[in-house]
Amino acid sequence: EAGVTQFPSHSVIEKGQTVTLRCDPISGHDNLYWYRRVMGKEIKFLLHFVKESKQDESGMPNNRFLAERTGGTYSTLKVQPAELEDSGVYFCASSQKMNTEAFFGQGTRLTVV
Amino acid sequence: LAKTTQPISMDSYEGQEVNITCSHNNIATNDYITWYQQFPSQGPRFIIQGYKTKVTNEVASLFIPADRKSSTLSLPRVSLSDTAVYYCLVGVHGSSNTGKLIFGQGTTLQVKP
């Protein structure tokens, strides 16, 4: 069974540009989460989808971040325009039920220069 | 969600048993205790969860005293490949109505030859 996959694994962009991260959850998992770790900080929750609906987006830092999950399958996280402080590792996770084990992807390392 | 406190780092040698203790004084009656493991350049991975007394699986054991204000993750006979960050989380999975994970700093375990 395929795990959670994220694309790209690395991305280097200039300040002001746009980047879109993609996450493919485990098939059949209705719950999809985005997290990130910025340099030297803890892993922080960004948002939670249940199917295509945003269940909790309390962790989204500002309106430069837009997450979508059209059709309730894969999800994208777009940063526009990117700022230097957006650099970090973005993790996606999925789970079958809301309060069951979460499976994480390898992460996307984003570097904004 | 209850706050957790755990040592920032620990060192051990191959073949030894490692015990990592986590304090969670404000744990609620319905909260479960969950541990995740994270290797460098990977996303966190669920390793064990418990509510009270002792839980054991093929990877680790989890000891929870009667007052549930702390828990101890026990890794038997560690190897170099157990070098990772170990996170203790409380209030997610099992009984909660949220899938959001709140990560602390975790404990960085370094296993030496």
Side-chain angles (χ1 to χ4, degrees):
Chain A
E1 178 183 321
V4 177
T5 56
Q6 295 186 242
F7 181 83
S9 56
H10 294 83
S11 180
V12 181
I13 62 171
E14 294 184 350
K15 176 183 173 181
Q17 289 186 321
T18 298
V19 63
T20 300
L21 313 181
R22 172 170 170 145
C23 169
D24 285 77
I26 292 173
S27 178
H29 282 194
D30 288 341
N31 295 275
L32 186 150
Y33 313 85
W34 284 98
Y35 293 83
R36 76 170 179 178
R37 166 184 270 147
V38 295
M39 184 64 70
K41 302 285 188 178
E42 298 158 4
I43 298 172
K44 293 290 189 183
F45 167 83
L46 295 179
L47 88 159
H48 170 203
F49 283 101
V50 177
K51 297 185 180 179
E52 67 276 8
S53 300
K54 292 176 183 175
Q55 175 77 12
D56 181 355
E57 52 183 328
S58 61
M60 294 289 264
N62 51 61
N63 59 10
R64 295 185 294 103
F65 289 75
L66 175 64
E68 294 180 323
R69 193 183 181 196
T70 306
T73 54
Y74 71 91
S75 174
T76 58
L77 179 64
K78 181 161 69 174
V79 186
Q80 178 184 30
E83 297 290 344
L84 298 178
E85 64 264 25
D86 300 331
S87 295
V89 181
Y90 289 76
F91 293 105
C92 175
S94 72
S95 66
Q96 201 161 34
K97 296 181 181 179
M98 192 181 301
N99 57 4
T100 57
E101 175 185 349
F103 295 84
F104 282 77
Q106 302 266 56
T108 294
R109 180 173 295 278
L110 174 65
T111 303
V112 182
V113 296
Chain B
L1 299 174
K3 178 180 169 60
T4 61
T5 303
Q6 52 184 123
I8 292 176
S9 64
M10 293 182 70
D11 288 340
S12 181
Y13 290 93
E14 281 190 295
Q16 288 188 330
E17 178 184 77
V18 171
N19 295 307
I20 306 174
T21 297
C22 177
S23 297
H24 27 80
N25 291 316
N26 297 322
I27 189 168
T29 302
N30 293 331
D31 286 343
Y32 279 67
I33 299 155
T34 310
W35 287 78
Y36 276 77
Q37 173 191 56
Q38 185 179 25
F39 297 114
S41 301
Q42 292 188 25
R45 182 176 75 110
F46 173 95
I47 48 176
I48 199 166
Q49 174 184 289
Y51 183 79
K52 62 180 179 181
T53 62
K54 177 184 174 183
V55 179
T56 297
N57 62 22
E58 65 277 6
V59 176
S61 293
L62 179 59
F63 298 91
I64 305 167
D67 67 5
R68 304 200 327 121
K69 293 184 182 299
S70 67
S71 59
T72 299
L73 176 72
S74 181
L75 305 172
R77 301 170 60 85
V78 295
S79 64
L80 296 177
S81 62
D82 291 316
T83 293
V85 180
Y86 293 82
Y87 296 98
C88 166
L89 296 94
V90 172
V92 293
H93 303 332
S95 62
S96 72
N97 59 2
T98 174
K100 176 167 67 175
L101 300 177
I102 298 180
F103 290 88
Q105 288 186 313
T107 297
T108 299
L109 173 65
Q110 179 70 52
V111 180
K112 303 175 182 178

